[in-house]
Amino acid sequence: MTRYARTLTRWLALALLAGLTSCGPSSPDVTLRVLASPELADLAPLLGRLKDDTGVELDMEYKATADLAGQPPASGTSPYDLAWLASDRSFLLRLRDSGRTARSESTPIMRSPVVVGLTPALAATLRSRVPGGRLSWADIADAAADGTVRFGMADPRSSDTGRAALVGVATAAAGTGGALREDDVSCDRLRGFRSGQTLTAGSSRALLDTYADHQGEANALIAHESELLSLNATDRLSAPLTIVYPEDGMVLSDFPLLLLNSAEHSAYAKVVTWLLRDDVQLELMRRTWRRPVAPDVRPLEPLRAAVGNALSFPDRLSTVERLVADYGDPTRPTTDQVVFLLDFSTSMRGDRIAQLRAAFAGLSGADPTSTGKFARFYRGERLTVVRFGGRVLDETTVTVRGDGDLRTLRKVVAADGFDDSTAVWSALDRGYRIAADAVRDDPERPLSIVLMTDGRSNAGLGYEQFERHYDRLDAGARAVATFPVHFGEADAAALEKAAEATGGRMVDADRSSLSDAFKEIRGCL
C-alpha cells in the first residue's frame, strides 16, 4: 500500500472517529502548541476558521528545523503537542536511530515537489542547450559549474526544503535510480553544482525574501513548487520565474502533521479531519499553491504538471548527515585545488594519449552525459597539471574563471613532448611539494592529488624514498590524499599502497575507460 493510500485509509478512520465524538456532548475548546516549519506561516489566515469549526486552536511557532533538532525523541517529553513540517523524513530517521520502536502518528496534509525556478532569459538559454529543451539536475549542475546558473537554495543544515533539494540533486548525481546509500555520498559529486550557489537562508521563506530583495545576485531559485508559484503571484519580481521540473526526478514533500503528545490524540484527530475536508483542501490549495492530498479535489491548472519521477529519500540518517556535512556551509565558496600528475612516457603515445586528451576535454565541459556534467571542472577551482616522464616535463596552474583557463589546460595535455623513462614516485614527491606550499598558503582550501600512469616506475625516487619524504611533511600536507589511476602496465599493487598510505583510493581505468576513471575520481576528491 502506498503512503497516499494509507493516508486515505487514515483519513476515513479519522472522519469516523470525528463523527462518533461529535455525537456526544460538545467538548471544551483546547489549545495545542505546534512547532511548524517557517514556510507554513501562509496558513495563518485559515487557523481562525479551524478554531471556529472544531474548537481546537493551534498556537503556531514557526521555527522548526529539518529534523526537529533539539526536540526530544521520546513521546510526551516535548513542550509541543504537534509538529507541522514540510517533511518528517529526517525526524523519523532520527527517531529510529534513537531506538524508538513506535513512530509518531503522522498525516500528510498537502504536497509539493522541490523544483527549480529560472529567470525567463536563463530558461531559454539552458533549454537551447538540451535536445528537446527538457532540463535535468545534471543540466543545472553543468550550468552552475560554468557560471551560467547562479542559484539560491535554503541551507540544508536547517531547512527541510534545502535538504530535500540537496537529496534530489545528489540522488540524480549518483545515477543509481534508487535511494541514496552511504556509498553514494562517500564520493561528493556536487562540487560543480555547489559552486553556483550565491544566495542562501536558514529557511526557504527567508530565502524567497532574500531573492526578491537581491535579484541581481541570482538567476535561479531551488524551492518548493508552491513557494515559486506564490512568489510569482506577487509584484516583487522583475519577471515571473519559469518553473522547471527536472527530468531526473524530484523529492516530493507532503507537509505532514505529527502528533508529539499522545494525550492530545482526540484534538489531533479533529484537526486532521478538518484539514482533509474537500472544502478545506481546496482553500489550502488556493492560498498556498500546494497540491491537495484529498482525492476528489481537482488541482488548479498550474498544479497539473506531472511530478514525474519522485525520488526516494535515504533510509539512513547517517547518509543524510554525511550528505549535509559534505555540502558544508553554503555561505562559503567552493575553491578546491586538484594536482594532476600525468604520465607522458613514450608508452602513452597513440591511443592512450588520445584517451587522456579526450578525458580532459570531457572534464572541461565537452562530456554530454549526466556523469560528465556533474564531474566537470568548475569556476573557482584551482587546477595544476604536471606532465612527467623520467623527470617533470612541465607544470601549469590555473584558477578556472572561464573557457580561456580550460583551453590553457587542454593545450598542456595536447603537448607532444614525451620521455623514455617513468619516474612515478619522483612525480608524486613533486605533487606533495606543491601540496605543502598550497596548504601553507591557504590551509582552508581542500586539496587532492590525482596520479595517472600507464607503466612501472623505472627512474627517479623509489617508493621507500618517497615514503620517507612524505613522512617528513607537515601534518597538513600529509592529510592530502592521492587518487591513483591505474592504466596499462602500471603497478597496481604499488599504486594501491600509495593510495592507502595517503588516504585516497585507486581507480582502474582498464576496467572502463580513462574518461570514466577520471570522472569517478572527480567524485571522490
Side-chain angles (χ1 to χ4, degrees):
M1 182 182 293
T2 68
R3 182 169 189 175
Y4 295 107
R6 290 196 298 271
T7 299
L8 179 59
T9 302
R10 185 185 298 116
W11 176 49
L12 293 172
L14 289 170
L16 177 61
L17 174 61
L20 292 173
T21 57
S22 66
C23 295
S26 60
S27 56
D29 290 352
V30 62
T31 298
L32 302 179
R33 292 192 67 196
V34 184
L35 181 59
S37 294
E39 66 191 85
L40 290 171
D42 57 7
L43 299 177
L46 275 175
L47 299 184
R49 183 179 160 196
L50 167 67
K51 182 181 179 182
D52 291 342
D53 288 356
T54 66
V56 181
E57 180 178 5
L58 298 186
D59 178 12
M60 306 281 281
E61 292 188 30
Y62 301 103
K63 59 181 185 181
T65 55
D67 59 359
L68 292 184
Q71 292 303 304
S75 178
T77 60
S78 172
Y80 298 95
D81 300 302
L82 310 178
W84 202 344
L85 310 173
S87 168
D88 61 4
R89 298 178 181 102
S90 291
F91 175 62
L92 296 179
L93 291 176
R94 185 163 74 88
L95 288 187
R96 190 183 70 180
D97 278 15
S98 73
R100 280 277 305 273
T101 54
R103 57 179 287 171
S104 297
E105 188 165 351
S106 174
T107 307
I109 304 299
M110 307 168 282
R111 290 180 290 178
S112 193
V114 175
V115 297
V116 185
L118 306 175
T119 61
L122 177 62
T125 296
L126 296 188
R127 284 173 170 164
S128 69
R129 297 179 177 181
V130 179
R134 303 178 69 86
L135 297 172
S136 66
W137 285 116
D139 297 319
I140 301 300
D142 184 47
D146 74 12
T148 303
V149 164
R150 295 170 290 112
F151 68 88
M153 185 179 82
D155 190 336
R157 297 174 299 175
S158 58
S159 165
D160 276 319
T161 309
R163 187 165 295 189
L166 181 58
V167 166
V169 70
T171 303
T176 63
L180 281 173
R181 305 159 301 181
E182 198 83 36
D183 287 349
D184 297 325
V185 296
S186 63
C187 292
D188 179 11
R189 297 173 175 87
L190 302 186
R191 281 179 168 82
F193 169 78
R194 189 190 179 299
S195 69
Q197 183 163 7
T198 56
L199 289 179
T200 193
S203 70
S204 58
R205 186 178 181 85
L207 173 69
L208 267 61
D209 289 337
T210 300
Y211 174 75
D213 294 338
H214 301 86
Q215 293 178 54
E217 296 181 23
N219 53 15
L221 273 182
I222 300 174
H224 283 113
E225 170 194 58
S226 57
E227 295 173 297
L228 299 181
L229 288 171
S230 295
L231 185 60
N232 279 348
T234 70
D235 59 0
R236 303 180 68 189
L237 301 181
S238 55
L241 294 170
T242 299
I243 296 179
V244 169
Y245 301 84
E247 283 291 291
D248 33 9
M250 291 154 278
V251 171
L252 188 67
S253 296
D254 55 14
F255 298 88
L257 187 65
L258 285 77
L259 177 64
L260 301 181
N261 180 3
S262 58
E264 297 291 356
H265 184 272
S266 178
Y268 169 80
K270 290 182 180 179
V271 172
V272 168
T273 301
W274 186 85
L275 290 170
L276 295 179
R277 278 173 24 186
D278 285 357
D279 62 319
V280 177
Q281 286 274 293
L282 183 60
E283 185 66 15
L284 284 170
M285 177 173 55
R286 287 173 173 166
R287 285 184 176 273
T288 72
W289 294 102
R290 298 185 185 103
R291 300 177 182 223
V293 296
D296 294 330
V297 178
R298 179 172 170 78
L300 298 173
E301 195 280 329
L303 301 176
R304 293 173 192 165
V307 172
N309 179 26
L311 298 175
S312 300
F313 203 79
D315 61 2
R316 292 184 178 275
L317 183 61
S318 58
T319 302
V320 178
E321 290 176 336
R322 174 67 181 273
L323 178 64
V324 171
D326 282 352
Y327 195 78
D329 182 350
T331 65
R332 299 185 61 182
T334 15
T335 57
D336 299 54
Q337 179 171 354
V338 183
V339 178
F340 290 93
L341 307 173
L342 305 179
D343 185 349
F344 267 66
S345 57
T346 51
S347 59
M348 283 291 296
R349 290 183 185 274
D351 178 66
R352 290 180 179 179
I353 199 64
Q355 285 194 49
L356 177 61
R357 289 166 180 163
F360 261 74
L363 295 177
S364 298
D367 187 338
T369 66
S370 175
T371 54
K373 290 176 179 179
F374 278 110
R376 63 163 296 162
F377 298 136
Y378 57 86
R379 290 204 178 202
E381 188 174 19
R382 187 174 174 84
L383 302 169
T384 298
V385 174
V386 177
R387 297 191 314 119
F388 73 91
R391 56 184 175 80
V392 170
L393 301 175
D394 56 52
E395 177 182 319
T396 303
T397 296
V398 302
T399 298
V400 179
R401 303 295 181 199
D403 289 341
D405 301 303
L406 297 176
R407 283 195 297 270
T408 296
L409 290 183
R410 290 197 295 271
K411 286 179 182 178
V412 173
V413 179
D416 283 329
F418 292 88
D419 192 82
D420 290 335
S421 303
T422 307
V424 173
W425 309 119
S426 291
L428 188 55
D429 184 63
R430 175 58 188 158
Y432 273 96
R433 280 185 280 147
I434 295 170
D437 290 342
V439 169
R440 185 166 50 250
D441 293 342
D442 188 355
E444 298 301 316
R445 184 197 294 270
L447 192 151
S448 302
I449 295 173
V450 176
L451 169 64
M452 188 286 300
T453 181
D454 74 334
R456 295 173 178 269
S457 188
N458 57 17
L461 297 179
Y463 179 79
E464 291 75 15
Q465 290 173 289
F466 158 74
E467 198 169 39
R468 287 195 295 271
H469 290 188
Y470 172 80
D471 289 340
R472 290 197 293 266
L473 293 170
D474 291 339
R478 289 199 309 275
V480 174
T482 291
F483 296 86
V485 178
H486 174 267
F487 195 37
E489 295 74 47
D491 186 340
L495 295 179
E496 284 272 21
K497 187 176 180 181
E500 183 178 351
T502 62
R505 72 180 182 87
M506 189 190 79
V507 174
D508 192 344
D510 289 334
R511 294 182 179 177
S512 52
S513 69
L514 202 52
S515 179
D516 287 344
F518 273 103
K519 287 192 289 186
E520 182 177 346
I521 279 190
R522 285 284 292 168
C524 295
L525 297 177

